[in-house]
Amino acid sequence: MNILSPFHLAIPVDDIEKAREFYNKTLELEEGRSSSHWVDFNFFGHQLVIHYKPKTGLENNHKNLVDGKDVPVPHFGILLEWHIWQDLAEKLLKKNIQFAIEPYIRFKGEVGEQATMFFYDPCGNALEFKSFKDKTQIFAK
């Protein structure tokens, strides 16, 4: 696998302060630069920016069925080390996060074994945090 460069992702939020608190306090991300309309966060070494965007009523909550679970589309997230994912899942459970899909293991004992969980930020952005038991199998079939 090639060494990856940090990505930049800007997402819409309809309440800067609620979103700021979620990313600061719930996910415990370090805040970077900000203005009244956007805030940068260190998203596990990547640049995540929340940008104010008023709700239009046209937001789409589409889901695809995967493993019998409704996976929100679109969503974004990060691939974490196995133990870091486990620690984060425990923290979020203690913080009473309402999961769209509770933490669980997919393909247990098979190629591509992975841990995953889905939840929403307070502005409706879906996040997936996952980990592979063996990182060399991220794209394995």
Side-chain angles (χ1 to χ4, degrees):
M1 181 185 290
N2 296 332
I3 295 175
L4 300 175
S5 296
F7 67 76
H8 165 85
L9 177 66
I11 60 171
V13 297
D14 64 339
D15 187 323
I16 286 281
E17 289 312 313
K18 273 172 109 172
R20 176 183 247 153
E21 183 174 335
F22 174 82
Y23 288 99
N24 266 329
K25 303 278 192 272
T26 303
L27 294 185
E28 301 176 6
L29 302 181
E30 179 185 346
E31 185 175 317
R33 294 175 300 276
S34 66
S35 80
S36 61
H37 287 82
W38 57 267
V39 182
D40 281 346
F41 289 98
N42 179 347
F43 189 75
F44 302 89
H46 303 281
Q47 186 186 40
L48 174 66
V49 187
I50 58 172
H51 280 273
Y52 175 73
K53 178 185 176 212
K55 281 199 187 255
T56 63
L58 300 176
E59 287 74 22
N60 186 0
N61 292 328
H62 183 77
K63 295 179 178 158
N64 281 335
L65 195 62
V66 177
D67 292 346
K69 298 176 182 358
D70 286 327
V71 171
V73 178
H75 64 264
F76 74 96
I78 189 82
L79 297 175
L80 300 170
E81 297 292 330
W82 194 263
H83 71 281
I84 294 172
W85 183 93
Q86 289 175 319
D87 291 345
L88 179 61
E90 283 180 32
K91 260 190 211 180
L92 295 174
L93 285 164
K94 286 178 184 169
K95 291 181 179 189
N96 295 314
I97 286 291
Q98 184 176 357
F99 290 95
I101 298 175
E102 297 263 339
Y104 80 106
I105 308 300
R106 295 181 72 204
F107 312 120
K108 193 167 184 80
E110 299 176 32
V111 172
E113 181 176 347
Q114 60 192 263
T116 187
M117 60 181 146
F118 286 83
F119 52 92
Y120 292 89
D121 75 9
C123 299
N125 294 296
L127 292 92
E128 177 184 19
F129 284 75
K130 66 191 318 184
S131 181
F132 282 80
K133 191 75 167 184
D134 177 351
K135 287 192 302 188
T136 66
Q137 295 181 356
I138 290 172
F139 300 106
K141 294 181 182 181

